[in-house]
Amino acid sequence: MEGRLMDIESIQARFRAFAREREWEPFHSPKNIAMALTVEAGELLEHFQWMTEEASFDLDSEKKEQVAQEIADVQLYLCRIADLLKIDMAEAVDRKMVINEEKYPADLVRGSAKKYTEY
């Protein structure tokens, strides 16, 4: 599967216009978008509830499309909250990866699922 790069700024502009056309700006506070994001993440999780680890890798086409829709909802809300708070998502991800690399040095955590506070 060949991936495409996402243009976050275009997604944000499109979502901004989408909200404006529907006069939803008053409802799109960072708090409300964060709450909506959690709901959508829960809906994503619901598709995997009670599945085995193996089954979670082998979704039929209908289930995979449903999961894709929930992933899109999560991504849209992430883009929206970053837009509202003027957070550069690419920069935030880069900074967080540096932090994660320091917290989880490969030579210490390889093959372990422990949290960084446990080693």
Side-chain angles (χ1 to χ4, degrees), residues 24-49:
W24 286 353
E25 292 104 327
F27 311 114
H28 281 202
S29 66
K31 176 195 78 72
N32 286 350
I33 297 299
M35 291 170 63
L37 171 61
T38 339
V39 170
E40 294 302 336
E43 290 178 5
L44 172 61
L45 184 59
E46 189 174 25
H47 288 285
F48 296 99
Q49 189 175 12

Side-chain angles (χ1 to χ4, degrees), residues 94-110:
D94 286 342
R95 283 194 321 268
K96 184 59 176 170
M97 285 303 300
V98 169
I99 291 167
N100 287 346
E101 288 163 353
E102 291 171 2
K103 278 183 174 177
Y104 296 98
D107 58 326
L108 289 181
V109 302
R110 190 171 288 113

Side-chain angles (χ1 to χ4, degrees), residues 104-116 118-119:
Y104 296 98
D107 58 326
L108 289 181
V109 302
R110 190 171 288 113
S112 173
K114 291 180 181 177
K115 188 174 178 171
Y116 70 95
E118 298 180 64
Y119 59 90

Side-chain angles (χ1 to χ4, degrees), residues 21-86:
E21 289 169 1
R22 288 154 182 80
E23 298 180 356
W24 286 353
E25 292 104 327
F27 311 114
H28 281 202
S29 66
K31 176 195 78 72
N32 286 350
I33 297 299
M35 291 170 63
L37 171 61
T38 339
V39 170
E40 294 302 336
E43 290 178 5
L44 172 61
L45 184 59
E46 189 174 25
H47 288 285
F48 296 99
Q49 189 175 12
W50 313 123
M51 259 188 204
T52 64
E53 296 287 326
E54 296 80 22
S56 70
F57 283 100
D58 190 30
L59 306 178
D60 64 38
S61 59
E62 182 180 338
K63 178 63 81 175
K64 196 170 191 174
E65 176 56 27
Q66 293 168 350
V67 166
Q69 299 258 336
E70 299 305 338
I71 289 171
D73 284 339
V74 168
Q75 183 64 43
L76 286 165
Y77 282 127
L78 283 172
C79 287
R80 183 67 170 150
I81 196 168
D83 186 36
L84 291 168
L85 294 174
K86 308 290 188 255

Side-chain angles (χ1 to χ4, degrees), residues 9 11-21 25 80 83:
E9 290 177 6
I11 293 168
Q12 289 172 325
R14 189 171 177 188
F15 203 152
R16 208 178 305 125
F18 178 85
R20 189 177 318 111
E21 289 169 1
E25 292 104 327
R80 183 67 170 150
D83 186 36

